[in-house]
Amino acid sequence: MRTSSSSMNRRAFLGAGAATGALLGAAGGLTLATSAQAAAPLAGKPLVGAMRRKVGDFEVTALLDGYLDVEKGLVIGYDDAEAKRLRDAAFIEGEAVRIPVNAFLINTGDKLVLGDAGTSSALGPTLGHLTEPLAAAGVTPDQIDAILITHMHPDHLFGVLDGEGNKVFPNAELLLPEADKAFWYDDAIMGGAPEQMRAFFEGARRAADAYQDRQTLFSGDSEIVSGVRPLALPGHTPGHHGFVIDSNGETLIIAGDILHMAPYQFANPDWGIAFDVDSAQATATRKKFFDQMATDRVMFAGSHAPFPGFGYVGREGNAYRFVAADWPYSL
């Protein structure tokens, strides 16, 4: 017997409708209204940025401090045609690339540890919002036991103080890379730095000095918190570090500023940013890191990777690509 395509389509449609009804029934039912039952005012601002995921027995929560717009004049190795091609592929209008500033809350079960502290009021109104997602995560600043600093740039360290210079995290121990502190406290280096960069030195010293009574310097790769050890990633600054989190057979690497501009630097890892202290070393470190992540298929979290920053590095010919991590928390 021949069956027309229209009857087959009708049968498939009715079957799909029955399956959908069964699914909605199993979910407790769903009523679709023809119009909104009550008007709601527009919020006019984004929701707080906080995203939590499990890493073994730990919980790691990405916290969005805000964002920066990176203009092409800050990009080392920039090529107009290549940059436009990559922006078009990423649906970016204009020449600036907007990058997030992420920090990460690590709950080990025994301690609440903050990986970087955001910006406070140092870099304008688009940044300095870390306490909002921290509150959304159910944590108050006085509950933080330790703050791990990847490096002493404003968007990673300056958030330990509020706009009036008071401690934001009164009970926290501040853990700083020894090599980075030596750099930012070197008067000769500060004296030879461009005028606009001297505020970086002064602010880094002010933030670190406020925690002098509870401050620890780290070097090497031994655990600094149970389940967390440092990973040297020099170049962006001399003491720039990541943090390797290992718990119950799972690993996450918080990689700090291993990259800044995801639309550019996965495809062109030799491109850098003007804030790199040693651009050649930063590039070599980035390429080595990308290669290792792609080979080992280990999840990393980047301070400037697309929020929430969790993802993998995939190979794309002789270049790389960012692969966002899947659903962050099993229900």
Side-chain angles (χ1 to χ4, degrees), residues 109-156:
D110 297 317
K111 291 183 180 294
L112 286 172
V113 181
L114 193 59
D116 285 334
T119 314
S120 188
S121 58
L123 295 177
T126 65
L127 290 164
H129 304 288
L130 193 71
T131 55
E132 299 168 34
L134 192 64
V139 175
T140 56
D142 61 293
Q143 291 179 284
I144 299 298
D145 296 297
I147 307 168
L148 308 180
I149 298 297
T150 58
H151 62 296
M152 295 172 68
H153 271 162
D155 52 327
H156 301 263

Side-chain angles (χ1 to χ4, degrees), residues 65 103 114-122 128-131 134 141-142 144-176 185 202-215:
D65 186 61
L114 193 59
D116 285 334
T119 314
S120 188
S121 58
H129 304 288
L130 193 71
T131 55
L134 192 64
D142 61 293
I144 299 298
D145 296 297
I147 307 168
L148 308 180
I149 298 297
T150 58
H151 62 296
M152 295 172 68
H153 271 162
D155 52 327
H156 301 263
L157 173 63
F158 288 17
V160 300
L161 301 179
D162 64 20
E164 286 70 51
N166 302 308
K167 281 186 176 183
V168 174
F169 307 98
N171 300 314
E173 178 185 8
L174 185 66
L175 289 88
L176 298 171
Y185 274 75
E202 294 164 355
R205 297 179 184 194
R206 187 162 52 248
D209 287 348
Y211 288 76
Q212 188 62 50
D213 59 330
R214 298 201 64 192
Q215 184 181 125

Side-chain angles (χ1 to χ4, degrees), residues 2-321:
R2 297 182 60 188
T3 305
S4 70
S5 59
S6 60
S7 63
M8 285 290 291
N9 290 339
R10 181 173 180 274
R11 187 181 307 163
F13 175 78
L14 292 175
T20 302
L23 178 61
L24 295 178
L30 177 67
T31 301
L32 299 178
T34 56
S35 62
Q37 301 303 302
L42 299 178
K45 60 183 292 188
L47 291 170
V48 167
M51 181 70 77
R52 177 180 293 134
R53 71 178 308 117
K54 288 277 284 183
V55 179
D57 296 327
F58 292 179
E59 286 182 340
V60 180
T61 305
L63 307 169
L64 183 63
D65 186 61
Y67 67 86
L68 287 167
D69 288 328
V70 177
E71 302 289 344
K72 68 177 184 178
L74 293 174
V75 184
I76 306 300
Y78 187 89
D79 176 82
D80 276 312
E82 172 68 355
K84 185 178 187 308
R85 180 186 73 82
L86 293 170
R87 288 196 308 272
D88 287 348
F91 293 86
I92 296 172
E93 296 182 4
E95 293 187 336
V97 173
R98 179 161 292 180
I99 65 172
V101 175
N102 307 321
F104 300 92
L105 176 69
I106 308 160
N107 186 345
T108 70
D110 297 317
K111 291 183 180 294
L112 286 172
V113 181
L114 193 59
D116 285 334
T119 314
S120 188
S121 58
L123 295 177
T126 65
L127 290 164
H129 304 288
L130 193 71
T131 55
E132 299 168 34
L134 192 64
V139 175
T140 56
D142 61 293
Q143 291 179 284
I144 299 298
D145 296 297
I147 307 168
L148 308 180
I149 298 297
T150 58
H151 62 296
M152 295 172 68
H153 271 162
D155 52 327
H156 301 263
L157 173 63
F158 288 17
V160 300
L161 301 179
D162 64 20
E164 286 70 51
N166 302 308
K167 281 186 176 183
V168 174
F169 307 98
N171 300 314
E173 178 185 8
L174 185 66
L175 289 88
L176 298 171
E178 184 175 14
D180 232 47
K181 186 174 183 183
F183 175 82
W184 294 104
Y185 274 75
D186 190 312
D187 289 335
I189 295 174
M190 182 172 74
E195 185 64 36
Q196 64 268 29
M197 288 297 295
R198 293 186 187 177
F200 281 34
F201 286 84
E202 294 164 355
R205 297 179 184 194
R206 187 162 52 248
D209 287 348
Y211 288 76
Q212 188 62 50
D213 59 330
R214 298 201 64 192
Q215 184 181 125
T216 299
L217 303 182
F218 63 83
S219 60
D221 58 2
S222 298
E223 277 192 346
I224 48 178
V225 174
S226 180
V228 182
R229 56 185 173 84
L231 173 67
L233 298 170
H236 181 54
T237 67
H240 178 244
H241 276 72
F243 300 108
V244 181
I245 301 170
D246 283 311
S247 174
N248 197 20
E250 294 186 11
T251 300
L252 170 72
I253 299 178
I254 295 175
D257 283 12
I258 196 67
L259 79 150
H260 291 81
M261 303 150 292
Y264 291 161
Q265 288 177 296
F266 283 102
N268 296 282
D270 54 336
W271 288 17
I273 196 164
F275 300 111
D276 289 338
V277 173
D278 186 331
S279 184
Q281 187 179 39
T283 295
T285 297
R286 179 165 44 255
K287 288 180 175 179
K288 180 180 178 181
F289 181 83
F290 282 0
D291 185 68
Q292 183 177 350
M293 293 299 98
T295 299
D296 297 345
R297 301 174 70 87
V298 173
M299 186 187 300
F300 84 102
S303 298
H304 303 295
F307 182 80
F310 301 113
Y312 300 89
V313 179
R315 298 190 191 278
E316 193 88 351
N318 293 324
Y320 302 91
R321 59 190 172 90

